[in-house]
Every structure is written in C-alpha cells, then in structure tokens.
Amino acid sequence: MIHTLKIKDENFHGSFSNEYKPALTIHSGDSIRLQTPDIQWGYSSSKDNERTTFNSKENEEKPGHPMVGPIKIHGAEPGMVLEVKINDLVPGWYGRNWAGGNKSWQNDQLGLTGTERIQLDWELSPAKMTGTCQIGGRPFHVALNPFIGLMGVAPAETGAHSTSPPRYCGGNIDCKELGRGSTLFLPISVEGALFSIGDGHAAQGDGEVSGTAIECPMDLVDITLTVRDDIKLSMPRAKTPAGWIAFGFNEDLNLAAAEALNGIVEWIQEMHKVEKAEALALSSAVVDLRVTQIVNGVKGVHAVLPHGAIR
C-alpha cells in the first residue's frame, strides 16, 4: 500500500522520543510519499509561491531538524531491523548553506570563528541536476546529489533527544551515499519502530565541512519501510549503489573510524565465512574509510565495501 503524508504541522516534530504519537501507522512493506521542509522549517513549491513556515506538533522549547513522523510499523519489535528503501528523491527549487561566524571545530582551525557568517542562496534545477549560486556577481555551478540527511527510529531511552547527533538507532547521519536507490538498515529499539525522516540535502561533500550541505526542501521523498526479523544489528548499515556501508559515530574521530571498520569487518566475516583477522586483511585491500561528517558534535565515519570487490 502507498500512503501520503502532507506537509503540515501535524506531521512534524523536532526531537526523538519513544513517547510521541505516530503521525501514521502502516504495515511492513508499505510505501510512503511525502515532502520535507527546509532546515529552517519552511517550504515553497516554486519561485512564484511564498515560503510557508511550519511548526512542530510536539512544541519543543528548541526544536531541531524538522522531521516527518513518527511512522509506526505494525509488527516491529525491539531486536528486529527496519529496512528503509529510498525509491525516489526530488529536491525543491531552492537551497541554502552557511559558513563562518559561529564557534566550531572547523571555523577555529580555519580562523573563521567570530567572522561574519555568510549564506549562499542556491537555485536548484532537479531536471538538470545542477545548483547555481552567485558570489560577487559571478555564478558558480555544482552538480546535485540529493539525499536525506536524517533517518532514524526512536531510541530506547526515555525523554526527548536532540536531532543533531547520529546514534545507534540512526538520526542525523548526513551520509551523501544515502540517495535514490539506497537502503538503510536500522536496529529497532521500541515497539512499532517509530521512524522519522527529514533534512533534505541537494549536495554535500564527505565531511559536510562548513557545517551545512546545500540544505533544501524535498518536493518528493518516496520510501518503502519493511520490518526484518532475519537480520541482527546494533548499528545502522546500508546498501547503496556504491557498495555496502557500515557506520561509526563518536565524538572522537578515531573511535568513530574503529566502529565503522569493525562493522564492515564483521559483515565480511558473515558474508565470506572467514576469521576476523582474515576479514581485516581483505578490508585493507578494498574497503574505503570516509569521514561522513565532522559537524554534529558526534562525528561520523562510514566504511564502504564496493559491490563485487571480494569474489
């Protein structure tokens, strides 16, 4: 079955909690089509239409990223895995990103803390898959690579939790590989899973080095949610056009890298029936470690095993 979630306050929230009432309840294998606002909780369908600002239905004091959901899935239980298949993504017509100004790791290192914060306004062309901004009267063009930055299920822990850091149950992963044709696997911690999604990105390099990607609304997000009881995971994993991906999250980048590496090594062990040291040796020949993002407090690393790299 295909469901539709309209872009309205009743479908948005700005924090994770296992106590939030679902915006939608579905069966395993159902698909959902939805739109997402920009990171500032706004949406405009075209240049000719004014930007509408939306609000969280949970009335948080400081809501984070605008997320659609939660979506409850019948039959989802702790210990199972939620498969999130990304069927299609269509970014909106505009995007923004920012750099400099606020105190952050990258601004400190580049001498930009305390300077004027700049904003680039991008005009996006989903048909041509290009984005254009103006700097000093000159046009600059980039190729688009739309993906969803934030996908997660509710954590087992009580209370409301910030959208900023990625966790064992997903969240603000900000991995540019999670675009059209990708599948994200999330360990389920609560009954019904309570899946939430948001944070559309039109383009981003690994690292998200300024602190933001080209943040944009999404005119279409088409996903299929399937509960899996044949997989056991303690951390998110993904299957993308580039290959299999294991994730690591930690404030210490070294520990995030170790977590991602361990995840992909264990996956190679499972797939190829080898010992851990043997899987690590194979990994050294073919696996790429990439810095997902350095800007969410908890840093991210993803380990990529290209399809067919080990035969």
Side-chain angles (χ1 to χ4, degrees):
M1 185 173 179
I2 299 174
H3 306 265
T4 300
L5 278 174
K6 296 187 180 298
I7 189 163
K8 57 183 181 179
D9 290 352
E10 299 95 295
N11 293 331
F12 296 135
H13 58 294
S15 57
F16 283 101
S17 173
N18 56 34
E19 300 175 359
Y20 290 161
K21 182 179 178 181
L24 176 69
T25 300
I26 68 170
H27 291 280
S28 177
D30 285 359
S31 296
I32 306 103
R33 292 175 178 168
L34 54 94
Q35 297 167 306
T36 63
D38 60 51
I39 198 170
Q40 296 174 313
W41 292 76
Y43 180 79
S44 168
S45 60
S46 71
K47 289 184 186 180
D48 299 325
N49 292 331
E50 289 188 16
R51 180 175 173 273
T52 300
T53 300
F54 296 91
N55 298 289
S56 169
K57 64 184 176 67
E58 299 299 337
N59 297 313
E60 299 98 337
E61 184 178 348
K62 291 184 178 180
H65 300 77
M67 300 186 295
V68 177
I71 299 168
K72 181 178 180 180
I73 303 95
H74 285 300
E77 298 289 345
M80 296 179 179
V81 168
L82 183 64
E83 176 187 292
V84 184
K85 184 179 179 183
I86 303 167
N87 304 313
D88 200 7
L89 294 172
V90 180
W93 67 272
Y94 69 95
R96 305 184 185 97
N97 76 312
W98 296 266
N102 62 299
K103 183 173 178 56
S104 65
W105 175 87
Q106 70 276 19
N107 285 340
D108 283 349
Q109 296 301 311
L110 274 62
L112 291 172
T113 297
T115 63
E116 181 183 0
R117 189 185 192 214
I118 66 103
Q119 173 178 305
L120 296 183
D121 295 303
W122 295 84
E123 184 171 336
L124 309 179
S125 172
K128 297 179 180 178
M129 290 298 283
T130 58
T132 304
C133 73
Q134 298 281 334
I135 301 177
R138 294 169 52 203
F140 289 81
H141 311 281
V142 300
L144 300 188
N145 174 41
F147 71 97
I148 294 294
L150 202 161
M151 292 180 280
V153 293
E157 296 79 7
T158 59
H161 300 267
S162 169
T163 62
S164 292
R167 302 176 176 85
Y168 67 92
C169 51
N172 193 29
I173 297 174
D174 281 339
C175 179
K176 72 175 186 179
E177 308 294 345
L178 296 178
R180 184 185 296 114
S182 298
T183 301
L184 178 65
F185 300 89
L186 297 169
I188 295 171
S189 298
V190 301
E191 182 182 353
L194 298 180
F195 173 77
S196 299
I197 184 169
D199 193 25
H201 292 169
Q204 178 198 293
D206 285 333
E208 198 179 17
V209 294
S210 84
T212 51
I214 298 180
E215 311 283 339
C216 71
M218 285 287 178
D219 284 347
L220 173 65
V221 178
D222 186 325
I223 57 174
T224 300
L225 302 181
T226 304
V227 175
R228 301 284 298 269
D229 60 7
D230 59 332
I231 305 173
K232 299 296 179 185
L233 291 178
S234 59
M235 286 288 293
R237 186 180 289 170
K239 183 180 182 182
T240 76
W244 284 97
I245 292 179
F247 297 97
F249 311 128
N250 199 285
E251 292 180 5
D252 185 323
L253 194 60
N254 289 330
L255 295 180
E259 190 170 52
L261 177 59
N262 189 64
I264 208 70
V265 165
E266 289 183 344
W267 182 229
I268 291 173
Q269 280 186 269
E270 184 179 338
M271 282 195 296
H272 297 284
K273 311 303 179 187
V274 296
E275 297 300 320
K276 194 164 192 176
E278 294 165 337
L280 178 60
L282 289 170
S283 297
S284 197
V286 296
V287 167
D288 292 317
L289 281 182
R290 299 176 182 165
V291 178
T292 318
Q293 55 75 26
I294 56 171
V295 299
N296 294 329
V298 172
K299 299 177 177 66
V301 173
H302 57 289
V304 183
L305 172 63
H307 297 301
I310 301 173
R311 299 183 295 277

